[in-house]
Amino acid sequence: MTVLPTMTGRTMRAATILIALSSALLLTAPASAQEMDAPNTLTPAERADGWTLLFDGETAAGWRGYNDEDFPDTGWTIEDGVLTIEGAGGGVSGSGGDIITTETYEDFVLKLEWKISEGGNSGIFYRAIEQPDQPIYWSAPEMQILDNANHPDAGRGENGNRKAGSLYDLIPADPQTFSGHGEWQDVMIVVEGGHVEHWLNGQKVLEYETWTPGWYRMIRDSKFRTHPEFGDAREGHIGLQDHGTTAHFRNIKIKEL
């Protein structure tokens, strides 16, 4: 386990994060064992530790459409404890559009599970801001969701930076721990100050520091160069992407730091 860099005023928070990171070891349990637990619930220990459910398994409470006051009427469904975007096929967005949390978050640990359809593509956004007439991805960093074996994006970008778990189009997930379409994948995203970590299926696959000279150089050399708002927000929404293919989500929970 990599210990987070020491920064002024962060010692106590770092200890809290390390506790949360240690729980990631539980994600390595076989899927069949994990699915024995009731989905979309918090244990007494999680409640005591400050975790909050972002999806109750039955309603869209706490979510709404991006740049919209309401949850989408079409595209997104909730059934058997799973939040699903039903893919319209082919397009960057389907009939539902991206959704975001009604609340915004600054420093946090986010956990969830996702399952992607064959050839599917989606994403998890964080610290997203809303901009009229601008898609969510021009402001928010994205943890990529992808069927690496069957979607052409897996071979695009550089060094695999569009594969599952990557910081989309910027930093590749290494190691690549995606287990395949049709299977539940466990995610943990740690965001504290400028430090960010992506975990996929119990392994840390990348980490980076925002707002540094190296960060801004990377952005200048990327597709986001004309969007100075990208990754610059200190607080924002959690978002789930409608990319025109079917994706499923459950066990979405967050701990603010």
Side-chain angles (χ1 to χ4, degrees), residues 8-246:
T8 303
R10 291 175 61 186
T11 304
M12 294 302 293
R13 285 187 173 184
T16 303
I17 293 176
L18 289 174
I19 294 172
L21 295 182
S22 66
S23 67
L25 295 175
L26 298 175
L27 301 178
T28 59
S32 58
Q34 294 178 44
E35 291 180 3
M36 291 175 64
D37 298 329
N40 309 308
T41 60
L42 295 175
T43 65
E46 286 175 321
R47 292 185 184 279
D49 198 34
W51 288 89
T52 302
L53 279 178
L54 291 183
F55 173 55
D56 63 14
E58 298 179 355
T59 72
W63 294 86
R64 59 180 176 83
Y66 174 74
N67 278 333
D68 198 334
E69 295 181 356
D70 301 314
F71 192 81
D73 292 329
T74 60
W76 291 89
T77 63
I78 298 171
E79 186 175 358
D80 296 329
V82 177
L83 175 63
T84 297
I85 176 62
E86 298 286 354
V92 172
S93 64
S95 59
D98 302 329
I99 59 172
I100 59 172
T101 54
T102 56
E103 301 294 326
T104 59
Y105 302 92
E106 183 177 2
D107 295 342
F108 56 86
V109 181
L110 174 71
K111 291 184 181 181
L112 60 82
E113 294 175 75
W114 59 263
K115 180 168 61 175
I116 194 69
S117 59
E118 184 174 0
N121 186 340
S122 184
I124 305 163
F125 300 104
Y126 46 93
R127 284 182 174 166
I129 62 173
E130 291 180 283
Q131 303 178 94
D133 304 318
Q134 291 281 0
I136 190 173
Y137 53 76
W138 288 135
S139 75
E142 175 189 351
M143 184 184 197
Q144 173 76 311
I145 292 175
L146 197 77
D147 175 11
N148 292 341
N150 298 290
H151 195 285
D153 247 16
R156 297 169 179 161
E158 296 182 8
N159 302 317
N161 65 7
R162 294 189 180 185
K163 291 184 177 181
S166 298
L167 175 61
Y168 174 74
D169 214 44
L170 292 171
I171 303 175
D174 184 15
Q176 180 50 243
T177 59
F178 172 63
S179 63
H181 72 270
E183 300 182 14
W184 285 107
Q185 316 291 318
D186 291 287
V187 161
M188 182 166 69
I189 300 174
V190 180
V191 178
E192 202 234 358
H195 186 79
V196 179
E197 299 181 4
H198 288 188
W199 293 64
L200 183 62
N201 292 328
Q203 295 189 58
K204 183 166 64 177
V205 296
L206 65 83
E207 61 184 322
Y208 64 93
E209 301 287 335
T210 56
W211 320 322
T212 64
W215 168 260
Y216 290 118
R217 281 196 300 271
M218 182 172 65
I219 299 306
R220 284 198 303 269
D221 293 336
S222 76
K223 64 186 290 184
F224 305 104
R225 66 177 65 87
T226 59
H227 293 270
E229 69 274 26
F230 178 81
D232 208 46
R234 270 57 174 174
E235 180 177 335
H237 302 272
I238 307 298
L240 301 177
Q241 187 178 43
D242 173 5
H243 204 287
T245 56
T246 299

